[in-house]
Amino acid sequence: VQLVESGGESVQAGKTLRLACAASGFMVDDWAIGWFRQAPGKEREGVACISSNDGYIYYADSVQGRFTMALDKTKNTAYLQMNNLKPEDTAVYYCGADPVRRAAYHYCAGHGPHAHWGQGTQVAVAS
């Protein structure tokens, strides 16, 4: 299993970025999969996660209405579209995946196993 993130960069507040997570070794719609972020001095938090049970997407309150997660099954890739970026979105963004099925909220909240992670991609938002 491999997860490879890309798309992070330094931008001004209000701009848009799209992160990509290319997966191999499993199908992105068969496992719990999500985007997490970790800012300096803070714990890793779930940003957006998809349930393999029903395709429901959970978003953290801090990104609701600004971020959109999607899967491209043909490319076996997960995306995170980030609009209207804010300085508080600055963090290393990680893609995570696990074969244990669960509700999207529980995966984002850290409940249960989180077996696989990508290396992370840095997003920096300047005010």
Side-chain angles (χ1 to χ4, degrees), residues 1-125:
V1 172
Q2 191 173 21
L3 301 166
V4 180
E5 302 98 333
S6 61
E9 59 182 85
S10 297
V11 296
Q12 293 290 318
K15 297 297 185 181
T16 294
L17 284 176
R18 188 176 77 156
L19 305 183
C21 171
S24 59
F26 72 102
M27 298 305 296
V28 292
D29 58 336
D30 282 346
W31 287 17
I33 188 167
W35 287 95
F36 300 75
R37 67 186 181 187
Q38 188 166 20
K42 295 187 177 181
E43 294 186 354
R44 186 175 298 186
E45 64 168 338
V47 174
C49 297
I50 291 179
S51 168
S52 55
N53 290 333
D54 54 14
Y56 176 80
I57 305 175
Y58 166 84
Y59 295 98
D61 289 344
S62 57
V63 306
Q64 181 74 44
R66 299 188 298 122
F67 290 11
T68 302
M69 183 176 180
L71 302 181
D72 185 332
K73 299 175 186 179
T74 64
K75 297 181 179 179
N76 209 34
T77 297
Y79 296 97
L80 185 66
Q81 177 74 31
M82 305 187 294
N83 299 331
N84 189 24
L85 282 161
K86 302 176 180 181
E88 52 263 41
D89 295 319
T90 296
V92 178
Y93 283 71
Y94 297 91
C95 177
D98 191 274
V100 176
R101 290 175 176 264
R102 76 204 79 173
Y105 163 76
H106 288 298
Y107 185 62
C108 259
H111 302 158
H114 287 65
H116 303 284
W117 296 97
Q119 82 287 352
T121 186
Q122 176 73 53
V123 172
V125 184

